[in-house]
Amino acid sequence: MCSESLTDTYNLYWNEDDLTMKQSEILLINDVISRHIASGGKSELIQEDWDYLQLHAALYINSELSGIPLSMQPKKPGRGLVQRLKGKQGRFRGNLSGKRVDFSSRTVISPDPNLQIQEVGVPVHVARTLTYPERAFAANLPWLRALVANGPDAHPGANYVQQRGAPHKKYLKYGNRDKVAQELKCGDIVERHLVDGDVVLFNRQPSLHKLSIMCHRAKVQPQRTFRFNECVCTPYNADFDGDEMNMHLPQTEEARAEALILMGNKSNLVTPRNGELLIAATQDFITGGYLLTSRDTFLTKGEANQLAACLLAGPDAAMRLTLPPPAILKPRRLWTGKQIFSLIMKPNDKCKVKANLETKGKNYTGNEDMCVQDSCKCLNSV
């Protein structure tokens, strides 16, 4: 009688949640036990029902119990409370510690020494998909109209327009985009593509400490991988043998401001654990700096100008450089690598950087000289 009733229960609640079905079975078995006791049933039958009740109460908690007799095996396996909590797909690891979110992307990482340490190169394919809700006002209205006219396929463009007071968003892939652009007014929200300078969060899993996720500035590039400067590998513990990283695009001005101030790449150059420098020159940068500033490194005017011209990039493209006078005049004019390094520290006379890169040697002389260990006149003072 008990097994027939349970079959009916399964048929009745086949589309319900596992826990709901298990609770129904427990209530049903309780009802069967009550009727057997009221009708004066045999003690063996009541004991069998009681054991069956204990089994289902235990399966309600943990559905993976071992040692269940074949005659009492449940016909349909379910998920108990324990199964909902434990494991990668459980509540803790699946829904609390790690969550699937919108406005995020993930791809392979590559090195790019030409990017600044706070920049991350974003593929244009990702930039067309990730959007930021920009509110229109008088100053940015012409720019947003141009983005709306470009639509979702051309970068920079826009995917949706939420007109003020309208219940639905307009998808810009279809329809007359020029008409929508002309009707754009202050207060409307344009979901525009990610563009250069946008604030993004960059993360490499496993996120073991605070610096595993930091804020960068986006720089849209035509490649298919995320790119960033190798000097920032240490806090992420990243290498370029196939590692993947995540990028999130904050959706409000408050989130952007908090990310930039609290999680900014330049605000976390040292670890809060012990003050150790994390974002610093590594590998090729150290080797290049050593070779450039060696005592026997001399550069012709063309080589010195070429290295100096490498400083003219990005926001410093229009910067004026003051090349120092050559260190050697005869038989030909030559500049030392140390002079070029000094130029990096102080590119022109208007620069307010004041750094003394000279150290005292052990030759006990009052005059400056070029000592063998590069100690006294090791670098030009700047």
Side-chain angles (χ1 to χ4, degrees):
M1 177 180 177
C2 187
S3 60
E4 292 176 3
S5 302
L6 288 177
T7 304
D8 295 339
T9 307
Y10 271 111
N11 293 333
L12 180 61
Y13 294 106
W14 64 273
N15 60 346
E16 292 286 350
D17 187 81
D18 288 343
L19 294 183
T20 305
M21 293 170 60
K22 192 62 67 178
Q23 289 169 351
S24 301
E25 293 172 36
I26 292 173
L27 290 173
L28 186 68
I29 300 169
N30 270 298
D31 183 55
V32 170
I33 293 175
S34 300
R35 281 191 277 127
H36 282 174
I37 293 175
S39 62
K42 293 182 179 180
S43 59
E44 293 84 0
L45 184 61
I46 296 175
Q47 185 62 42
E48 182 184 339
D49 292 341
W50 176 259
D51 294 339
Y52 204 66
L53 175 65
Q54 293 294 314
L55 171 64
H56 279 280
L59 289 175
Y60 177 74
I61 303 297
N62 183 3
S63 62
E64 296 177 358
L65 280 178
S66 58
I68 304 174
L70 287 175
S71 60
M72 304 178 73
Q73 285 278 358
K75 295 180 181 178
K76 182 175 177 291
R79 298 182 73 230
L81 291 172
V82 170
Q83 280 67 44
R84 290 194 170 204
L85 298 179
K86 75 173 188 178
K88 185 180 282 189
Q89 305 298 326
R91 288 291 172 268
F92 296 110
R93 288 176 64 184
N95 301 114
L96 287 175
S97 299
K99 292 177 277 294
R100 303 289 174 173
V101 296
D102 293 328
F103 306 104
S104 66
S105 54
R106 177 182 179 88
T107 186
V108 181
I109 55 172
S110 303
D112 190 346
N114 295 314
L115 289 175
Q116 300 181 25
I117 62 169
Q118 80 274 15
E119 290 181 325
V120 56
V122 182
V124 67
H125 176 73
V126 172
R128 283 198 299 263
T129 306
L130 294 183
T131 59
Y132 179 77
E134 187 93 34
R135 187 176 294 274
F137 53 92
N140 67 356
L141 201 54
W143 177 58
L144 290 181
R145 281 177 174 159
L147 297 185
V148 170
N150 284 344
D153 295 326
H155 182 273
N159 292 355
Y160 294 94
V161 170
Q162 174 77 56
Q163 292 180 325
R164 192 173 185 178
H168 303 294
K169 294 188 290 189
K170 289 185 178 179
Y171 186 35
L172 297 174
K173 189 174 180 67
Y174 311 106
N176 190 345
R177 290 197 294 267
D178 293 329
K179 181 174 181 292
V180 177
Q182 291 304 317
E183 292 174 352
L184 196 68
K185 55 186 182 297
C186 294
D188 294 349
I189 295 176
V190 177
E191 294 191 8
R192 61 162 176 83
H193 293 166
L194 180 142
V195 296
D196 287 357
D198 273 343
V199 175
V200 297
L201 299 181
F202 207 39
N203 164 242
R204 181 185 177 275
Q205 292 168 320
S207 304
L208 302 177
H209 63 156
K210 189 182 90 162
L211 302 181
S212 290
I213 176 167
M214 287 190 293
C215 171
H216 290 252
R217 292 275 191 180
K219 187 172 181 63
V220 180
Q221 295 180 331
Q223 297 89 3
R224 304 285 287 184
T225 59
F226 288 143
R227 293 165 179 254
F228 63 104
N229 195 295
E230 302 98 306
C231 297
V232 199
C233 284
T234 310
Y236 293 120
N237 192 26
D239 47 38
F240 304 104
D241 57 3
D243 289 23
E244 293 187 8
M245 290 183 69
N246 311 310
M247 191 184 73
H248 302 263
L249 181 61
Q251 293 292 293
T252 63
E253 291 296 334
E254 292 87 348
R256 286 162 64 103
E258 282 193 4
L260 204 57
I261 301 300
L262 300 178
M263 307 171 67
N265 187 267
K266 287 187 172 181
S267 304
N268 290 281
L269 299 179
V270 299
T271 173
R273 184 180 61 168
N274 52 15
E276 179 186 350
L277 196 63
L278 281 185
I279 301 177
T282 58
Q283 297 182 3
D284 295 356
F285 300 95
I286 299 290
T287 307
Y290 173 77
L291 294 176
L292 181 66
T293 57
S294 295
R295 290 176 62 248
D296 55 351
T297 300
F298 293 96
L299 307 167
T300 64
K301 184 176 182 180
E303 293 169 337
N305 285 333
Q306 183 179 4
L307 286 176
C310 293
L311 302 177
L312 303 176
D316 298 325
M319 180 174 61
R320 185 177 181 85
L321 298 176
T322 305
L323 193 67
I328 295 178
L329 298 175
K330 298 290 185 180
R332 61 185 301 193
R333 295 194 298 170
L334 295 175
W335 282 259
T336 65
K338 296 180 175 62
Q339 289 180 296
I340 303 301
F341 192 91
S342 297
L343 197 63
I344 297 173
M345 302 292 291
K346 188 171 183 177
N348 53 53
D349 297 332
K350 294 182 179 179
C351 183
K352 297 183 179 180
V353 173
K354 296 188 182 298
N356 181 18
L357 300 180
E358 295 181 3
T359 60
K360 290 184 178 180
K362 295 183 179 179
N363 51 6
Y364 306 106
T365 60
N367 300 323
E368 293 180 340
D369 64 337
M370 298 284 282
C371 76
V372 180
Q373 286 80 24
D374 266 358
S375 61
C376 284
K377 191 65 174 171
C378 63
L379 290 172
N380 293 336
S381 60
V382 293

